């Protein structure tokens, strides 16, 4: 797989003949350090999710519902802006009398897939937010990142995709890290173990979400699909929160500010910065920075909630980080 670079290319369609020199200097390309700093900021924002869930005055599932709901207007705005830009580009490039291109209509089958993807995303968000109440922020963030080990067998059983045999080695390493972290590290404490299991189930449902939405993102504009998915996710989370008897409405200004901050940091700022910055970094380097999210979560947990990790837990976390990074490299086609 090729990696992105920051080198610039001549603009297509530029005139071949020499032009008068431009007195203004050309814009300087941003350095790699700039984009690395952007990724670090994104990681810190993404890791704040568990912090806001813990201090929210409503339940964890209801908090996740608002996080997804507040993302819908932004995604819809982005979808409209992209459609307008595409329309202007197409208008400038169309021949006279040619009809404008229309967006593909969503088929009934794809509507079902959108709802199914929203349900999987809701299950992922519900389980993850609840796990923050039982286990440490670091463990919840780390265990939810075990998606690479779930995606490969899912694609094999559903679509017959070949599983790279080399994935067996990081998978065995991950099992060892899980044993150290979950079994030895928690001492089989029922409450802590419950949080770790919920975080592991989060990875399963997120992998299912990715599998379901893969085809949708190829057929339709991404922000359009994600806006609908987020709306379905929010609706499902509100239903689950009501069934669990959670409070659905913050009663103070602080409660609303926590939800707004959660959406602005984890859902908007973190995801946007990450999506932009990784385009200009080598994939291997970007993957390393993404794995810093559990480290940032551990720092938040220690400073804000006094969550301390034993040496056994830290060793299990280190082994899992290595196995995840190894698996991502293999799945991205690198040796």
């Amino acid at each position: 797989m090729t990696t992105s670079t920051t080198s610039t290319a001549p603009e297509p369609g530029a005139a071949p003949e020499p032009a008068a020199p431009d007195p203004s200097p050309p814009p300087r390309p941003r350095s790699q350090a700039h984009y690395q700093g952007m990724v670090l900021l994104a990681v810190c924002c993404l890791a704040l999710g568990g912090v806001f869930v813990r201090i929210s005055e409503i339940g964890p599932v209801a908090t996740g519902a608002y996080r997804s709901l507040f993302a819908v207007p932004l995604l819809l705005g982005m979808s409209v802006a992209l459609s307008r830009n595409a329309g202007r580009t197409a208008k400038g490039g169309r021949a006279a009398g040619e009809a404008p291109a229309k967006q593909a209509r969503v088929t009934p089958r794809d509507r079902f897939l959108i709802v199914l993807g929203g349900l999987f995303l809701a299950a992922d968000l519900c389980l993850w937010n609840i796990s923050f109440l039982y286990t440490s922020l670091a463990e919840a963030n780390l265990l939810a990142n075990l998606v690479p080990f779930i995606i490969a067998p899912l694609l094999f059983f559903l679509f017959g995709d070949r599983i790279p045999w080399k994935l067996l080695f990081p998978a065995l390493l991950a099992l060892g890290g899980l044993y150290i972290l979950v079994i030895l590290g928690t001492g089989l404490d029922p409450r802590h173990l419950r949080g770790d299991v919920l975080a592991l189930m989060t990875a399963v449902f997120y992998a299912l979400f990715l599998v379901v939405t893969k085809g949708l993102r190829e057929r339709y504009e991404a922000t359009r699909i994600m806006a609908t998915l987020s709306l379905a996710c929010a609706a499902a989370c509100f239903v689950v929160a009501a069934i669990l008897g959670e409070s659905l409405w913050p009663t103070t200004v602080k409660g609303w500010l926590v939800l707004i901050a959660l959406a602005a940091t984890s859902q908007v700022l973190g995801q946007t910065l990450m999506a932009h910055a990784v385009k200009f970094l080598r994939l291997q380097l970007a993957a390393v920075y993404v794995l810093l999210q559990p480290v940032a979560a551990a720092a938040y947990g220690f400073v804000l909630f006094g969550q301390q990790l034993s040496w056994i837990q830290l060793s299990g976390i280190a082994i899992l980080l290595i196995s995840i990074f190894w698996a991502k490299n293999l799945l991205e086609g690198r040796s």
Side-chain angles (χ1 to χ4, degrees):
M1 179 179 294
T2 57
T3 56
S4 301
T5 61
T6 56
S7 59
T8 57
E11 184 178 354
E17 60 271 16
D22 188 355
S24 59
R28 298 178 60 186
R30 296 185 184 274
S31 66
Q32 287 286 291
H34 172 83
Y35 295 110
Q36 290 175 22
M38 194 177 291
V39 171
L40 283 175
L41 178 59
V43 166
C44 292
C45 289
L46 291 170
L48 281 171
V51 174
F52 289 119
V53 169
R54 277 182 160 262
I55 65 176
S56 176
E57 64 181 36
I58 60 177
V61 177
T63 300
Y66 280 104
R67 169 180 174 169
S68 191
L69 181 64
F70 287 165
V72 174
L74 175 73
L75 290 167
L76 287 176
M78 292 172 62
S79 179
V80 171
L82 289 172
S83 297
R84 287 179 178 175
N85 288 337
R88 284 194 294 266
T89 302
K91 184 178 180 181
R94 284 197 310 267
E98 185 179 344
K102 294 183 179 180
Q103 286 191 347
R105 294 188 61 181
V106 181
T107 64
R109 175 181 178 273
D110 285 344
R111 289 194 187 99
F112 169 75
L113 290 177
I114 289 172
V115 174
L116 184 63
L119 293 178
F120 285 146
L121 186 61
D124 155 67
L125 200 54
C126 291
L127 294 171
W128 197 39
N129 282 4
I130 295 174
S131 73
F132 290 127
L133 305 182
Y134 297 101
T135 188
S136 67
L137 300 186
E139 290 173 76
N141 278 271
L142 175 65
L143 296 174
N145 272 295
L146 292 174
V147 175
F149 297 107
I150 300 168
I151 283 284
L154 272 179
L155 293 177
F156 172 76
F157 287 113
L158 294 177
F159 305 108
D161 287 9
R162 185 178 61 86
I163 300 178
W165 66 269
K166 291 183 179 180
L167 192 64
L168 175 64
F169 301 109
L172 292 175
L173 185 64
L175 287 176
L178 279 174
Y179 178 79
I180 294 173
L181 176 64
V182 177
I183 305 300
L184 299 182
T186 65
L188 294 180
D189 174 67
R191 180 180 177 85
H192 201 116
L193 193 59
R194 183 188 308 170
D196 286 347
V197 171
L198 290 174
L200 276 172
M201 292 174 63
T202 294
V204 174
F205 280 104
Y206 191 69
L208 288 169
F209 162 75
L210 292 177
V211 170
V212 168
T213 58
K214 181 179 183 296
L216 292 172
R217 293 185 180 184
E218 293 175 354
R219 292 191 292 274
Y220 307 103
E221 193 268 314
T223 53
R224 175 188 175 192
I225 293 299
M226 285 307 300
T228 313
L229 282 167
S230 296
L231 190 59
C233 172
C237 286
F238 276 123
V239 171
V240 173
I243 294 174
L244 295 177
E246 293 184 2
S247 174
L248 303 180
W249 195 261
T251 57
T252 66
V253 174
K254 177 186 174 183
W256 284 107
L257 289 177
V258 167
L259 297 178
I260 293 172
L262 171 63
T265 54
S266 296
Q267 193 70 22
V268 177
L269 188 60
Q271 296 287 359
T272 304
L273 285 175
M274 182 67 72
H276 176 70
V278 295
K279 293 181 181 180
F280 304 95
L281 297 173
R282 294 177 59 241
L283 289 177
Q284 192 171 11
L285 180 61
V288 172
Y289 280 117
V290 170
L291 292 179
L292 291 177
Q293 184 175 330
V295 179
Y300 293 146
F302 176 75
V303 173
L304 298 175
F305 307 112
Q307 296 178 348
Q308 297 186 11
L309 299 173
S310 66
W311 285 109
I312 294 178
Q313 290 173 301
L314 288 174
S315 62
I317 287 175
I319 293 173
L320 280 172
L321 288 174
I322 294 171
S323 67
I324 294 172
F325 178 65
W326 190 359
K328 284 184 175 181
N329 284 351
L330 292 176
L331 293 176
E332 288 170 358
R334 292 188 300 270
S335 59

